[in-house]
Amino acid sequence: MTQNLNLLHDVTARLAATAEEYDRTAAFPSAGIRAVHEAGLLTATVGEQYGGSGLGVAGTARILHALGEGDPSVALISAMTINVHALQARRPHWPEGLYKRILAESEQGPVLLNHARVEPELGSPARGGLPATTARRTGTGWSISGSKRFVTGAEGLDWFLVWATTDEPEPRVGTFAVPGSAPGIEISSRWDHLGLRASGSHDITFHEVEVPDENLVDVALQGPGAEQDNRALAALHLPLNALYLGVARAAQSYFHRFAHERVPSNLGHPVAGTERFRRAAGEIELLLTAAEQLVLTGAERVDAGDGTYTPEQALGTKVLAARHALTAVETAVRLLGNPGLSRANPLERHYRDIQCAPVHAPQDDIVLLALGKAALSR
């Protein structure tokens, strides 16, 4: 365990060393992705049935907490791949030959995967609805056409997992594995965002991109059963929460450093000795410790698999943990004033990055509606 913790500390430090540069340039964070791959973290959730370690939700949360503390853009790109392997370990649904090929390629270098689901007209599938992106039958497989939004890591993805509706007489909705190098893939709008600037969550258009039949990963008949199931995916939000708590811990570290180094001439000693800074430090620690306990305890209960931890509890944790992380970082920024908003200090970057925490679907209103409905039914 100590060796694993040391490994995570080393990766955090490597990511932190380049995070500011990648944030400033918004370039694809290739050095950070290499660091995650070299540490074996991209494939940590590969199932034991495939020769992997089958890391559970709690272990994944600890990994993403460490990566988020170093560089949340790298962490989010990595999380997409880590989650794909975790889902396959829990419910095998990939064609066996294709998945084995991806695992073999992952031994040689980082292989990045991510779902492409959000669409310009539909928005997030978490609110219901089916894709306008189409998969047309060809003589050898499928031709994919359509537009997707906010595809994290787009420039570096080896595989896009595209959610599309078939053109069959009885339409089906499926996920198609599209190689990132396939002809006909266009970055149609570039990511220019307040936070997670290096995550490269570009808009993508697929122009009749052809894939073989065996690249159909998952499929269901068109209808409610083909829509996104927020309850089934609820546990995946716990590691994502941990990622943003890592961002908040990075902000806390800078806050502490500032408090010990800042010595106003009219005070004569570091502001860390003042009641005002100590009270704020206590509030930040309380918020983050409570959120981490919620996330990690919930993740451990998911791993226990005894059915006592419900999807509603996981979704509720998503809301609370994001709120705690936001409040903690905002508290630090408010106390530092102008220095906290200066680009010369990392706290300004952490403040921008933490704004992305509540954006991940399902958003708060959907979660609260589900929780309220369940509570009233009791």
Side-chain angles (χ1 to χ4, degrees), residues 119 122 125 128-133 163-165 173 221-228:
E119 295 188 342
L122 176 65
L130 296 170
T133 300
W163 193 48
T165 301
V173 176
L221 285 174
Q222 191 178 68
E227 295 186 4
Q228 179 167 310

Side-chain angles (χ1 to χ4, degrees), residues 24-374:
R24 178 166 36 81
T25 63
F28 182 79
S30 53
I33 295 299
R34 280 198 305 273
V36 177
H37 165 72
E38 289 168 6
L41 303 180
L42 280 177
T43 52
T45 54
V46 171
E48 294 178 355
Q49 67 268 45
Y50 304 108
S53 57
L55 194 69
V57 179
T60 304
R62 290 185 174 88
I63 286 175
L64 292 185
H65 188 285
L67 301 186
E69 189 172 354
D71 184 340
S73 289
V74 173
L76 190 63
I77 294 169
S78 301
M80 300 301 109
T81 295
I82 289 169
N83 282 343
V84 169
H85 289 305
L87 284 171
Q88 176 67 10
R90 286 168 52 187
R91 184 182 69 83
H93 54 284
W94 280 68
E96 186 175 346
L98 179 59
Y99 190 64
K100 285 184 176 179
R101 172 185 164 187
I102 286 172
L103 292 182
E105 291 172 354
S106 298
E107 293 179 2
Q108 307 304 316
V111 174
L112 297 178
L113 312 98
N114 192 11
H115 289 270
R117 295 177 65 85
V118 180
E119 295 188 342
E121 297 299 325
L122 176 65
S124 169
R127 296 183 181 274
L130 296 170
T133 300
T134 59
R136 179 177 56 83
R137 265 291 188 189
T138 67
T140 56
W142 303 92
S143 175
I144 312 296
S145 295
S147 295
K148 298 293 183 179
R149 302 204 71 192
F150 312 131
V151 185
T152 296
E155 286 177 303
L157 292 182
D158 295 276
W159 294 90
F160 294 88
L161 305 180
V162 182
W163 193 48
T165 301
T166 69
D167 70 341
E168 298 165 306
E170 189 171 10
R172 296 180 294 165
V173 176
T175 299
F176 297 80
V178 177
S181 59
I185 300 175
E186 174 196 3
I187 294 180
S188 48
S189 179
R190 289 198 166 267
W191 177 252
D192 187 9
H193 212 248
L194 176 73
L196 295 178
R197 288 181 48 74
S199 68
S201 301
H202 306 306
D203 293 357
I204 302 295
T205 299
F206 299 89
H207 301 283
E208 297 185 359
V209 181
E210 296 197 12
V211 296
D213 215 20
E214 56 266 28
N215 283 29
L216 176 55
V217 174
D218 209 356
V219 70
L221 285 174
Q222 191 178 68
E227 295 186 4
Q228 179 167 310
D229 186 347
N230 292 324
R231 295 183 79 260
L233 299 173
L236 294 180
H237 294 293
L238 297 173
L240 280 179
N241 276 139
L243 186 163
Y244 288 102
L245 290 171
V247 176
R249 285 295 187 187
Q252 181 193 43
S253 294
Y254 178 77
F255 174 78
H256 287 179
R257 194 174 89 202
F258 179 94
H260 285 293
E261 293 177 353
R262 172 63 175 152
V263 183
S265 59
N266 64 339
L267 189 62
H269 61 78
V271 293
T274 65
E275 183 176 316
R276 182 166 169 251
F277 268 78
R278 286 177 175 177
R279 183 180 292 115
E283 181 179 355
I284 291 169
E285 180 61 25
L286 179 64
L287 287 166
L288 297 185
T289 299
E292 287 166 351
Q293 287 176 344
L294 271 175
V295 169
L296 291 176
T297 300
E300 288 165 358
R301 290 178 65 187
V302 171
D303 288 341
D306 57 11
T308 61
Y309 190 73
T310 67
E312 286 76 16
Q313 287 174 297
L315 292 172
T317 294
K318 173 190 181 297
V319 172
L320 279 178
R323 289 179 178 178
H324 278 36
L326 278 164
T327 302
V329 179
E330 287 169 355
T331 298
V333 170
R334 279 200 308 272
L335 199 60
L336 267 60
N338 279 329
L341 293 173
S342 170
R343 288 186 181 273
N345 298 322
L347 185 56
E348 181 267 348
R349 169 164 47 88
H350 302 322
Y351 178 69
R352 286 187 287 103
D353 287 339
I354 205 70
Q355 305 307 314
C356 298
V359 172
H360 292 280
Q363 279 89 31
D364 288 9
D365 63 310
I366 296 178
V367 173
L368 295 175
L369 184 63
L371 292 176
K373 183 179 179 180

